[in-house]
Amino acid sequence: DGGITQSPKYLFRKEGQNVTLSCEQNLNHDAMYWYRQDPGQGLRLIYYSQIVNDFQKGDIAEGYSVSREKKESFPLTVTSAQKNPTAFYLCASSRRGGGSYNEQFFGPGTRLTVL
Amino acid sequence: AQTVTQSQPEMSVQEAETVTLSCTYDTSESDYYLFWYKQPPSRQMILVIRQEAYKQQNATENRFSVNFQKAAKSFSLKISDSQLGDAAMYFCAYRRTGNQFYFGTGTSLTVIP
């Protein structure tokens, strides 16, 4: 079955440590996205990538970094520079370009807790 | 910048009744797409329904339908014959050209048995 996987489901980090969240998709989608979800704030875009080896900052990119070396993978690193990293992180993908059926597909999410 | 507003943080509905969730958006574009997503307690985001801005006909998917008012920039979701499984957070989303998506802050729907 095609879909998006995120790992791990739960992640604990000590202050001052970097941590990488995994996101893999087998939908053959060009575009991939990372969102952060906090209570009462909906989904906020961290980074997105429309094609391999290219990505753009979203609204809240500070303290985060990404890479897009393969079409299937879009890992997110939460660095120690992120002041308040405890949140639920969602990865998504979509077809590139216009068209009616160009919705986003989401992974199951990763809950990151900073201890 | 595009913004999506959901003015109802919480809503409730009796089982088998109908409920409408509101969404407004701000854009200067004429060609775009709108979506409603459902996020149940599992937190898996699920697409409920989509609407193309160039279509005047409101989209319908079984018990879910939308009221799309392009001039008013309004995109409400109507859930008919509400079921216990409809209880979830619902997010309205806007997709502009260039594949950027914008989400509202969500409406938490409670279904009362």
Side-chain angles (χ1 to χ4, degrees), chain A residues 10-11 15 19-21 26 29 34 39 42 46 62 69 78 80 84 89 91 95 101-102 105-106 113:
Chain A
Y10 299 97
L11 188 57
E15 282 192 28
V19 63
T20 298
L21 282 60
N26 61 3
H29 286 168
W34 274 106
I46 304 172
E62 185 176 353
E69 298 177 0
V78 184
S80 57
N84 185 21
Y89 292 86
C91 179
R95 296 181 188 88
Y101 294 91
N102 205 1
F105 293 77
F106 286 85
T113 302

Side-chain angles (χ1 to χ4, degrees), chain B:
Chain B
Q2 282 75 27
T3 59
V4 179
T5 301
Q6 294 180 249
S7 59
Q8 306 155 314
E10 298 178 346
M11 292 281 286
S12 62
V13 61
Q14 293 279 350
E15 195 175 2
E17 296 296 310
T18 296
V19 64
T20 298
L21 309 184
S22 300
C23 174
T24 59
Y25 57 94
D26 182 29
T27 184
S28 58
E29 299 184 332
S30 59
D31 188 20
Y32 51 87
Y33 298 85
L34 297 163
F35 306 87
W36 277 98
Y37 281 89
K38 170 185 178 181
Q39 188 180 42
S42 68
R43 307 197 78 170
Q44 175 69 57
M45 294 281 280
I46 303 164
L47 178 68
V48 175
I49 199 166
R50 67 170 69 82
Q51 174 77 44
E52 297 90 340
Y54 63 86
K55 287 187 176 180
Q56 293 186 346
Q57 186 174 5
N58 290 323
T60 299
E61 289 286 344
N62 300 315
R63 297 182 295 108
F64 299 87
S65 62
V66 299
N67 183 5
F68 174 50
Q69 302 288 331
K70 190 171 184 178
K73 298 179 183 176
S74 172
F75 182 59
S76 61
L77 174 69
K78 186 172 82 171
I79 306 174
S80 304
D81 185 25
S82 296
Q83 301 175 0
L84 295 177
D86 294 333
M89 183 73 81
Y90 287 82
F91 292 96
C92 178
Y94 167 102
R95 178 172 73 84
R96 58 167 291 182
T97 54
N99 250 15
Q100 278 189 267
F101 289 74
Y102 299 86
F103 288 82
T105 52
T107 296
S108 178
L109 179 65
T110 299
V111 180
I112 303 167

Side-chain angles (χ1 to χ4, degrees), chain A residues 28-94:
Chain A
N28 200 33
H29 286 168
D30 286 302
M32 296 188 75
Y33 311 77
W34 274 106
Y35 293 95
R36 171 179 171 143
Q37 188 176 17
D38 296 285
Q41 297 200 42
L43 277 66
R44 293 185 291 168
L45 182 64
I46 304 172
Y47 269 97
Y48 66 102
S49 169
Q50 301 284 7
I51 198 168
V52 174
N53 292 324
D54 186 48
F55 48 83
Q56 289 78 40
K57 293 181 179 180
D59 300 322
I60 55 166
E62 185 176 353
Y64 300 96
S65 65
V66 294
S67 62
R68 187 83 188 277
E69 298 177 0
K70 299 188 298 181
K71 187 176 184 178
E72 303 80 18
S73 178
F74 191 41
L76 173 73
T77 296
V78 184
T79 74
S80 57
Q82 169 52 234
K83 300 302 181 186
N84 185 21
T86 295
F88 186 66
Y89 292 86
L90 281 164
C91 179
S93 71
S94 72

